[in-house]
Amino acid sequence: MLPWRGSLRAAGLLRPAPAAAPRTGAVRRALCGQPERPVGRGATLPAGPDLKHFLRGAAAGEPRPEQPPEPGSAPGAGRVYLETYGCQMNVNDTEIAWAILQSSGYTRTRELTEADVILLVTCSVREKAEQAIWNRLRHLKALKARRGQTRPPLRIGILGCMAERLKEEILHREKLVDVVAGPDAYRDLPRLLAVAEGGQQAANVLLSLEETYADILPVQTSAGGTTAFVSIMRGCDNMCSYCIVPFTRGRERSRPIASVLREVRMLSDQGVKEVTLLGQNVNSFQDMSEQQFGSVATPTLSRGFSSVCRARPGGLRFVHLLDQVSRIDPEMRIRFTSPHPKDFPDEASVLQLIQERHNICKQLHLPAQSGSSRVLETMRRGYTREAYLELVHHVRETIPGVSLSSDFIAGFCGETEDDHQQTLSLLREVRYNVGFLFAYSMRQKTRAHHRLQDDVPADTKKRRLQELISVCREEAARANAAMVGQTQLVLVEGPSKRSASELCGRNDGNIKVIFPDAEMEDAAGRAQPGDYVWVKVTSASSQTLRGVLLGRTTLSCSAAPH
């Protein structure tokens, strides 16, 4: 599960791709895995124009242009409004979808009322996330009804995980949605929108064993262009009993390392100072794109951990990728999220690389989900409380001063009061800097839905969640208070949201740092977004550090021995 991050950011180009190969790995998924049934208003979907009608230069031997065509030059082009819900992977999906649409002649609008196409990139991790989409669709229904006769009909689309999970319900509920596209079907968006323009509903929720969008080049920056996210893999094989992700995003598949390195180099050339490598289970990365990689040994797991999914032999692993990415630009910080605790083996240690490389942030997300070994077994997490704590100790021994964050679920199936107390004690023992905590929400298709009972009352879930949040904040405040008086290296992101006279950035541990926007003592002027600065911490809360600006530096100089 990925932590929720930020609002929509999207812009990009479609990189010229090699000739399309048959997608032999595609898996058709409709209700309960049955073959697709005809959709639409009483008729099977027409074939519609092929994708080549919308991507200039798709004819044999004709290269695709690096720059998108002029707005409106492709059939079905118009103004598109994109809205993103959920995790950072969905933000990345928005950027992929926009890159494809932009290359087909669509223009982007930030005004809902100006749009010819409204696309919602959706989340299915919890029922609350889906309910937010249904509420939004009711608002859009009124907007669609008010559409003037002099303008083309408004087309509304649902993309992402909710599209994959609830395709037929979305299409038939109030006949509001025109286009449904799953996470692996974004290349088909121009065709789907053309079909919808002709008055038919259109859907593609095929899951693929191969699609990684490796040839799509989104310009995916945030915080004034100082940070960016780079997707390195898609899908998940872990099959935790509570989790819908394997059913909405499919099996794990990794981008070729070469394509990731090209994207990171491009971002470095643009002046980006921090890149986060992104995936559902990022440290199980396994590049199988080259034949010579097949001789690499089968990966091992963290001590005391197991997996329901058999490891595949061969391929270049996450440690190889992290090593090469960190060598691209010594002035670029590297983070990654979300890892699984099982994939931190002692051999070829990612942890050792983090400790040795000055530009890999000393910060780890270690999702625990529960502090009870009994509940962890029911969740199919593949470890006990004791094994998890042993890993935490190993991490802190290997990376002194590391910042830790985690995910927890309150009120999972069969969770007793004693189980809950064990989770509270784990929060106190580990003392995370950041926590992401949620009440359990049963999801159809998951193992829990088929095998377990959602038997913890809603009011009990709510109480337990509040207790988890309270303890997590108390311990985070204590962890952050230990930094008062220290000097922290901070990457400046921009003005503080609460005060124009203050700046905001993040330290190596990904903790927000607020400090006055003042002249620096070294007469170098004021700090700007993208600068590395030294800040002396004067106070701390559970979420934020405050301090005074000391001066500008560089990432390399900050790592040099003094």
Side-chain angles (χ1 to χ4, degrees):
M1 182 185 302
L2 287 167
W4 186 92
R5 290 292 302 273
S7 59
L8 174 79
R9 311 173 333 278
L13 299 173
L14 182 63
R15 176 179 291 157
R23 291 172 63 182
T24 56
V27 180
R28 181 170 295 274
R29 186 184 300 277
L31 291 180
C32 301
Q34 298 302 311
E36 298 246 23
R37 296 201 291 267
V39 297
R41 298 178 174 88
T44 303
L45 282 177
D50 189 79
L51 185 60
K52 67 185 181 182
H53 289 87
F54 302 92
L55 297 179
R56 183 195 294 175
E62 185 180 350
R64 293 177 183 169
E66 283 290 329
Q67 298 298 325
E70 290 298 317
S73 63
R79 288 168 294 188
V80 60
Y81 179 91
L82 290 147
E83 200 166 273
T84 308
Y85 297 79
C87 70
Q88 187 60 47
M89 283 296 293
N90 281 359
V91 176
N92 186 259
D93 276 10
T94 301
E95 293 162 348
I96 290 169
W98 169 231
I100 292 168
L101 292 173
Q102 187 183 52
S103 72
S104 296
Y106 284 86
T107 57
R108 182 79 175 271
T109 178
R110 304 285 179 176
E111 297 296 329
L112 189 66
T113 55
E114 293 178 355
D116 302 303
V117 176
I118 298 172
L119 300 176
L120 308 184
V121 184
T122 63
C123 174
S124 274
V125 171
R126 284 170 291 278
E127 183 179 357
K128 185 177 180 180
E130 290 185 352
Q131 191 56 51
I133 301 300
W134 291 120
N135 293 340
R136 184 60 165 157
L137 285 174
R138 281 194 286 272
H139 171 76
L140 295 179
K141 180 180 181 180
L143 182 66
K144 195 171 187 178
R146 294 195 301 267
R147 185 82 163 186
Q149 296 295 321
T150 59
R151 300 178 64 186
L154 178 63
R155 288 165 285 169
I156 296 175
I158 296 293
L159 313 186
C161 294
M162 187 172 169
E164 188 69 42
R165 196 179 87 80
L166 295 173
K167 185 202 76 174
E168 293 205 357
E169 182 177 351
I170 291 170
L171 286 172
H172 297 304
R173 189 164 163 174
E174 301 180 26
K175 303 292 184 182
L176 173 64
V177 174
D178 305 289
V179 168
V180 173
D184 293 346
Y186 300 143
R187 294 183 193 271
D188 202 25
L189 276 173
R191 184 190 70 84
L192 297 174
L193 288 170
V195 171
E197 191 175 24
Q200 294 286 331
Q201 290 179 305
N204 184 346
V205 291
L206 296 178
L207 284 178
S208 170
L209 294 177
E210 300 169 348
E211 180 64 87
T212 63
Y213 300 105
D215 59 310
I216 305 292
L217 189 61
V219 181
Q220 41 186 314
T221 57
S222 66
T226 63
T227 66
F229 291 81
V230 174
S231 174
I232 66 169
M233 63 182 299
R234 298 178 73 83
C236 183
D237 287 347
N238 287 322
M239 301 300 292
C240 300
S241 62
Y242 56 82
C243 187
I244 192 66
V245 168
F247 304 96
T248 58
R249 288 189 171 270
R251 297 293 301 274
E252 284 181 9
R253 61 270 190 207
S254 301
R255 283 176 65 178
I257 283 181
S259 75
V260 176
L261 297 180
R262 282 195 299 270
E263 187 170 344
V264 174
R265 288 190 189 101
M266 178 204 73
L267 293 167
S268 175
D269 291 341
Q270 292 176 354
V272 169
K273 294 296 183 70
E274 180 180 293
V275 162
T276 300
L277 305 178
L278 197 62
Q280 237 77 37
N281 188 24
V282 69
N283 56 338
S284 67
F285 177 90
Q286 191 172 16
D287 177 10
M288 305 285 289
S289 64
E290 308 254 351
Q291 187 173 4
Q292 67 267 26
F293 299 163
S295 60
V296 179
T298 302
T300 57
L301 301 179
S302 307
R303 281 177 292 176
F305 286 68
S306 63
S307 175
V308 297
C309 182
R310 181 179 299 174
R312 294 170 293 171
L316 291 182
R317 305 296 299 177
F318 182 62
V319 68
H320 300 98
L321 174 65
L322 189 60
D323 173 49
Q324 293 188 47
V325 167
S326 67
R327 293 177 186 273
I328 290 174
D329 184 349
E331 291 301 311
M332 175 186 278
R333 289 202 303 202
I334 308 299
R335 303 187 190 275
F336 56 89
T337 197
S338 279
H340 192 289
K342 70 178 174 60
D343 292 310
F344 285 110
D346 293 336
E347 305 83 10
S349 174
V350 169
L351 303 178
Q352 193 63 41
L353 183 64
I354 294 172
Q355 168 59 19
E356 294 173 356
R357 206 59 54 85
H358 79 278
N359 62 336
I360 304 179
C361 291
K362 311 304 185 277
Q363 174 248 331
L364 279 180
H365 186 64
L366 291 178
Q369 307 301 355
S370 175
S372 162
S373 294
R374 190 189 68 81
V375 173
L376 289 169
E377 182 178 7
T378 308
M379 289 178 166
R380 302 181 90 195
R381 290 292 290 172
Y383 53 86
T384 62
R385 174 194 177 96
E386 291 73 24
Y388 180 87
L389 282 171
E390 183 180 349
L391 175 62
V392 169
H393 296 324
H394 178 51
V395 167
R396 285 183 163 153
E397 287 176 358
T398 308
I399 314 171
V402 66
S403 173
L404 296 181
S405 59
S406 192
D407 299 334
F408 287 92
I409 296 173
F412 184 64
C413 304
E415 183 187 71
T416 66
E417 197 61 32
D418 181 64
D419 295 324
H420 172 59
Q421 291 300 320
Q422 290 183 53
T423 301
L424 292 174
S425 72
L426 183 69
L427 283 167
R428 293 188 179 99
E429 184 169 351
V430 176
R431 187 169 289 178
Y432 301 96
N433 297 86
V434 178
F436 302 92
L437 308 107
F438 308 95
Y440 174 63
S441 176
M442 177 74 83
R443 303 281 78 198
Q444 291 181 356
K445 298 185 181 179
T446 63
R447 182 182 178 89
H449 181 260
H450 292 295
R451 304 281 185 92
L452 304 174
Q453 294 293 321
D454 186 10
D455 54 0
V456 179
D459 58 344
T460 302
K461 289 182 184 178
K462 184 177 180 180
R463 173 183 60 80
R464 291 177 182 174
L465 176 61
Q466 290 304 313
E467 290 176 1
L468 291 180
I469 291 172
S470 177
V471 170
C472 186
R473 285 177 175 170
E474 289 172 7
E475 297 304 325
R478 290 189 177 98
N480 292 343
M483 288 181 257
V484 173
Q486 296 180 1
T487 299
Q488 295 282 316
L489 178 69
V490 176
L491 175 61
V492 181
E493 294 183 348
S496 168
K497 293 181 179 180
R498 295 189 177 184
S499 173
S501 64
E502 294 180 317
L503 293 175
C504 176
R506 290 184 181 270
N507 69 358
D508 192 71
N510 208 26
I511 307 299
K512 184 183 293 185
V513 183
I514 307 293
F515 53 95
D517 182 7
E519 294 284 341
M520 287 182 280
E521 295 178 1
D522 56 9
R526 295 177 182 272
Q528 301 296 321
D531 284 346
Y532 290 105
V533 296
W534 290 116
V535 175
K536 185 173 182 178
V537 180
T538 56
S539 65
S541 69
S542 62
Q543 297 179 320
T544 306
L545 303 176
R546 286 187 169 272
V548 293
L549 180 63
L550 299 182
R552 186 182 283 113
T553 185
T554 66
L555 195 55
S556 300
C557 288
S558 70
H562 297 286

